[in-house]
Amino acid sequence: MQIQLKPINQQVVAVVGASSGIGRNAALQFANRGAKVVVAARSQPGLESLVEEIQKMGGEATAVVADVTVFEQVKAIADRAVEQYGRLDTWVHNAAVELYAAFEVTTPEEFKRVIDVNLMGQVYGAMAALPHLKREGRGALIHVTSVEARRSLPLQSAYAASKHGVDGFLESLRVELMHEKLPISVTNIMPASINTPLFNKARTKLGVKPMGVPPVYQPSLVAKAIVEVAERPKRDVVVGDAGKAILAAQRISPSAVDAYMVRTAFSGQRTNEPKSETAPDNLYEPIQGYDKIEGDFSEQARSWSF
């Protein structure tokens, strides 16, 4: 079934996880293209500064403070879009937390929290958005996961499990919507290592501040992909040529990728900057000072990808 989505400038878009990084950039790109935007996150200061930035550029935006582990708060995002702008056309779910730790030192509570935010949050998002998209007669569900939805990295067992879970959930949901002949697209956006504040906010038990395995890409590339699929649907989008290479290798020889990970992924995820596991992180509560698009790796991050 061919799905025809509205032009961006005719859409009402909800962006969840919008206070920083990919979500913040995506909200700005949507607003710049003329969409009405509802932005949501746990960080009220981040949302307020984002709405102010959008309004200064002549766009329309409203903010909803929400924790994605609470379904009623996620539902309130979708309901606010309809109350404020009359409808909901696109739901972008980007909210996530990260834990860098060997599995043996990960606590049950930490593992569960990552699953609750990264997997159940995405499930709640689709549950909240779908009734409104069905009422509108068409729309887009855009879920931001990771290359780790298909190929896990060491020291990120909880994060990788959550992203694999979202991939499985979306596969099932997509076919159910097709069976019902509903013109609602379901897209999995899978970024490689992206230069966002995630690495500053993540809980780490590595003894140092973590980083993404190089090469690292700029958030604008992912945001651009999100905006594009909101108008021209795609099933899966991998952002970052290194991510595409890893997934291609995974299909050919998973054991070869295992060997590559052993050689590169342990050292490649560590900076030289000491960081205690008691340092502030956003696993359970938002932390201040990181409501921005880019992280600490801008000098080495690529703004292009083949």
Side-chain angles (χ1 to χ4, degrees):
M1 179 177 59
Q2 188 104 14
I3 298 176
Q4 297 290 332
L5 299 177
K6 294 178 183 177
I8 298 299
N9 62 6
Q10 297 177 22
Q11 289 197 26
V12 175
V13 181
V15 181
V16 185
S19 61
S20 66
I22 293 166
R24 191 179 185 97
N25 196 303
L28 288 167
Q29 289 197 32
F30 274 116
N32 189 52
R33 293 272 302 274
K36 297 177 176 65
V37 185
V38 177
V39 293
R42 294 179 297 174
S43 171
Q44 184 167 351
L47 293 177
E48 289 175 351
S49 65
L50 175 58
V51 169
E52 183 180 356
E53 189 174 352
I54 290 172
Q55 290 174 343
K56 280 183 178 178
M57 57 191 270
E60 293 187 60
T62 189
V64 180
V65 177
D67 184 330
V68 297
T69 65
V70 182
F71 175 70
E72 288 304 319
Q73 293 187 28
V74 180
K75 184 175 180 295
I77 303 167
D79 291 345
R80 181 63 182 278
V82 175
E83 290 166 9
Q84 188 79 14
Y85 301 116
R87 65 186 188 281
L88 176 64
D89 299 298
T90 293
W91 181 273
V92 179
H93 204 107
N94 176 68
V97 293
E98 174 66 291
L99 168 66
Y100 285 88
F103 177 69
E104 66 178 355
V105 298
T106 300
T107 68
E109 294 78 17
E110 289 169 334
F111 203 105
K112 183 178 184 299
R113 177 63 180 177
V114 174
I115 296 296
D116 285 345
V117 175
N118 296 3
L119 172 55
M120 293 309 301
Q122 298 257 13
V123 171
Y124 291 164
M127 285 181 174
L130 267 174
H132 299 295
L133 299 183
K134 288 182 178 181
R135 191 177 306 114
E136 188 62 20
R138 58 177 165 171
L141 290 170
I142 302 171
H143 294 259
V144 182
T145 60
S146 166
V147 168
E148 291 195 68
R150 303 279 172 84
R151 172 66 220 198
S152 303
L153 289 170
L155 306 176
Q156 297 186 49
S157 56
Y159 184 85
S162 70
K163 299 302 185 178
H164 270 70
V166 176
D167 188 41
F169 158 61
L170 296 180
E171 294 278 6
S172 179
L173 175 61
R174 184 183 293 112
V175 175
E176 289 182 15
L177 294 173
M178 291 170 63
H179 177 71
E180 295 180 57
K181 295 182 170 54
L182 291 170
I184 298 171
S185 65
V186 178
T187 301
N188 187 356
I189 302 281
M190 294 176 278
S193 297
I194 307 298
N195 176 36
T196 73
L198 176 143
F199 306 104
N200 302 89
K201 297 188 286 186
R203 178 169 294 188
T204 177
K205 298 185 179 183
L206 306 182
V208 295
K209 187 177 79 176
M211 66 175 292
V213 176
V216 178
Y217 302 87
Q218 290 289 33
S220 58
L221 290 175
V222 189
K224 180 182 177 183
I226 290 169
V227 175
E228 286 180 353
V229 300
E231 199 169 42
R232 294 182 292 277
K234 292 183 180 178
R235 178 193 182 93
D236 299 317
V237 180
V238 179
V239 182
D241 40 27
K244 294 180 181 180
I246 285 293
L247 295 189
Q250 176 73 9
R251 289 192 292 271
I252 297 167
S253 177
S255 59
V257 180
D258 290 345
Y260 173 78
M261 293 291 181
V262 169
R263 291 195 304 272
T264 64
F266 289 87
S267 60
Q269 296 184 83
R270 289 177 164 90
T271 67
N272 294 322
E273 181 181 331
K275 185 174 182 180
S276 160
E277 65 181 77
T278 60
D281 63 61
N282 74 339
L283 188 60
Y284 291 96
E285 299 291 339
I287 56 175
Q288 308 227 337
Y290 300 105
D291 295 322
K292 55 185 182 178
I293 293 172
E294 296 184 10
D296 294 343
F297 307 101
S298 297
E299 290 186 3
Q300 67 192 75
R302 297 180 181 178
S303 58
W304 53 271
S305 173
F306 288 115

